[in-house]
């Protein structure tokens, strides 16, 4: 906000969707620039983190949020009733904001669709949506990956490979993550790789061992029961050789 002899200029209002690493950084940056910031995340733990940075938390259902986090700390998919109420709440907030920064992702799945075309239509003309989730489909229904577009008077920014636009910092952070991952796998005395089967990181990332697949997500499905199709519960009426 700027107060001058000619009048007062109100601060920009920013909504951050997804309060993970990128979302929290977006909140902190917007706050440093003087914006009024609010943020949304399905995880209950995100509320304290958002408020610690001076932003307000957009809450949908506190009880449901307590079960919205996976063991790894990521958001999980919510049921249809929650998604309906979530859409109504986000729609209400979007009518008042100037900038929406989208960072919401679910590991291994398309980015959750948080902003519909109807919501974009009701945003203030000249508003901006920055969709950092466009690599996985985007949080906005009108996002075009790798392009900057205008729809219903709202500018939608969805640059491809956003980390490459801050290559030096992105490389440093990525290298630090790799180091943190590899260091526990190496014996500090012998400098040899030593895998601890009981370690949580090893159990979550080890694919094969001694020629066998050990990661449950990649394990082969059980063989079909005799006389039944491999992909459905119906019995086979005749042999393929008779077809």
């Amino acid at each position: 906000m700027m107060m001058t002899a000619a009048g007062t200029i109100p601060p920009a209002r920013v909504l951050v969707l997804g309060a993970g690493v990128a979302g929290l950084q977006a909140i902190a940056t917007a706050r440093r620039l003087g914006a009024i910031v609010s943020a949304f995340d399905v995880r209950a733990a995100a509320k304290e983190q958002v408020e610690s940075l001076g932003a307000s938390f957009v809450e949908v259902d506190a009880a449901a949020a307590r079960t919205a986090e996976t063991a790894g700390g990521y958001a999980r998919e919510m049921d249809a009733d929650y998604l309906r109420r979530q859409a109504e709440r986000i729609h209400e907030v979007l009518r008042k904001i100037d900038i929406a920064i989208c960072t919401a992702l679910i590991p291994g799945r398309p980015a959750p669709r948080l902003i519909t075309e109807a919501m974009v239509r009701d945003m203030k003309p000249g508003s901006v949506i920055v969709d950092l989730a466009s690599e996985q489909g985007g949080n906005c229904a009108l996002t075009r990956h790798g392009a900057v577009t205008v729809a219903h008077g709202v500018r939608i920014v969805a640059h491809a490979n956003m980390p490459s636009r801050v290559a030096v910092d992105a490389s440093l952070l990525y290298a630090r993550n790799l180091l943190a991952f590899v260091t526990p796998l190496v014996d500090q005395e012998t400098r040899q790789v030593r895998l601890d089967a009981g370690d949580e990181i090893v159990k979550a990332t080890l694919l094969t061992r001694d020629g066998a697949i050990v990661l449950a997500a990649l394990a082969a499905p059980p063989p079909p029961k005799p006389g039944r199709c491999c992909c459905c519960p119906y019995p086979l009426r005749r042999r393929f050789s008779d077809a």
Side-chain angles (χ1 to χ4, degrees):
M1 182 172 65
M2 294 178 61
M3 299 180 68
T4 72
T8 300
I9 300 174
R13 292 181 177 272
V14 176
L15 172 64
V16 178
L17 298 169
V21 174
L24 292 174
Q25 189 59 244
I27 293 169
T29 301
R31 287 278 298 154
R32 285 196 296 269
L33 292 173
I36 296 175
V37 186
S38 55
F40 166 78
D41 199 290
V42 298
R43 300 166 300 149
K47 180 178 181 180
E48 182 178 351
Q49 297 166 358
V50 166
E51 293 176 344
S52 71
L53 292 173
S56 61
F57 189 70
V58 178
E59 195 165 52
V60 177
D61 186 332
R66 286 193 287 270
T67 62
E69 188 171 352
T70 67
Y74 294 97
R76 70 171 180 83
E77 289 187 295
M78 305 299 286
D79 60 39
D81 180 61
Y82 180 91
L83 293 177
R84 177 185 57 78
R85 289 180 288 138
Q86 168 188 292
E88 292 173 354
R89 185 75 177 96
I90 292 175
H91 196 167
E92 175 187 345
V93 176
L94 282 172
R95 289 189 174 98
K96 305 173 185 177
I97 66 98
D98 302 294
I99 303 171
I101 303 175
C102 305
T103 72
L105 290 171
I106 298 174
R109 295 186 179 275
R113 192 57 51 82
L114 301 179
I115 301 179
T116 64
E117 183 173 1
M119 296 180 191
V120 174
R121 191 182 298 115
D122 287 344
M123 292 176 69
K124 294 187 292 185
S127 299
V128 177
I129 296 173
V130 180
D131 199 338
L132 298 179
S134 68
E135 295 276 357
Q136 290 181 229
N139 294 147
C140 177
L142 302 180
T143 291
R144 287 179 53 195
H145 179 57
V148 178
T149 57
V150 177
H152 306 296
V154 176
R155 183 177 298 271
I156 303 171
V157 180
H159 294 303
N161 193 12
M162 185 68 80
S164 70
R165 304 176 75 86
V166 285
V168 174
D169 297 310
S171 296
L172 287 172
L173 294 174
Y174 183 55
R176 178 64 184 175
N177 273 274
L178 290 179
L179 178 63
F181 174 70
V182 173
T183 299
L185 309 181
V186 178
D187 188 288
Q188 298 304 306
E189 295 181 1
T190 64
R191 300 297 181 184
Q192 300 294 315
V193 174
R194 178 181 56 82
L195 299 180
D196 179 5
D199 185 272
E200 291 185 6
I201 295 177
V202 173
K203 287 193 295 185
T205 58
L206 186 62
L207 304 183
T208 63
R209 189 166 195 170
D210 299 327
I213 297 175
V214 296
L215 189 66
L218 298 180
K225 294 181 180 180
R228 293 186 178 274
C229 176
C230 63
C231 56
C232 66
Y234 301 107
L236 294 174
R237 297 299 183 186
R238 54 181 176 174
R239 295 176 300 174
F240 287 108
S241 59
D242 296 336

